[in-house]
Amino acid sequence: MPPLPIVLVVEDEPIILLAACEMVESAGFITREAANATRALRILVENPQIAILFTDIDMPGPIDGLALAFEAQARWPMIGIIITSGRRPLARHELPAGAIFLEKPYLEGALTEALANVLS
């Protein structure tokens, strides 16, 4: 049996981070978590087997989730990317190639579908 894919969930709001991780795990994935993009980059460097980056856009620190997504795609071209925000919907041309935008608040079914889509 192949190992379960790992999803790095990046969210600065603790309650939302917990809920997102629970949704991702109930969809059959392993989670790693980060509260900001700087920490997320460190986790990606230390864990090259991460299959999907699921990140909020608005976060504290020197880089936001959108910049994180572009950096992750440049350094790990095979990573799947899901970007979320409740403040700023993004058009396809604003996203990294192949990334999915998921508007907050998202439902578990929509997240599960996005996870499946970025893996395929």
Side-chain angles (χ1 to χ4, degrees):
M1 191 163 119
L4 296 174
I6 302 171
V7 178
L8 175 57
V9 181
V10 188
E11 171 63 62
D12 63 315
E13 294 290 335
I15 301 292
I16 298 172
L17 177 61
L18 179 64
C21 286
E22 286 177 359
M23 288 182 203
V24 170
E25 289 168 2
S26 72
F29 297 86
I30 296 171
T31 58
R32 298 287 178 266
E33 54 188 67
N36 61 58
T38 303
R39 176 76 182 120
L41 280 172
R42 258 185 269 133
I43 292 170
L44 287 165
V45 167
E46 295 164 3
N47 299 274
Q49 71 279 21
I50 290 173
I52 298 172
L53 171 66
F54 176 37
T55 184
D56 186 25
I57 293 176
D58 299 305
M59 284 183 286
I63 62 173
D64 67 9
L66 190 57
L68 168 64
F70 278 102
E71 179 68 18
Q73 187 175 63
R75 292 170 72 174
W76 300 278
M78 298 307 292
I79 197 166
I81 298 173
I82 303 169
I83 300 171
T84 187
S85 179
R87 296 187 185 145
R88 191 169 108 191
L90 295 179
R92 178 153 309 281
H93 72 275
E94 296 176 283
L95 299 171
I100 292 175
F101 180 76
L102 196 58
E103 191 167 0
K104 283 183 181 178
Y106 46 83
L107 298 174
E108 187 168 352
L111 177 54
T112 300
E113 184 179 332
L115 290 165
N117 286 339
V118 296
L119 275 183
S120 62

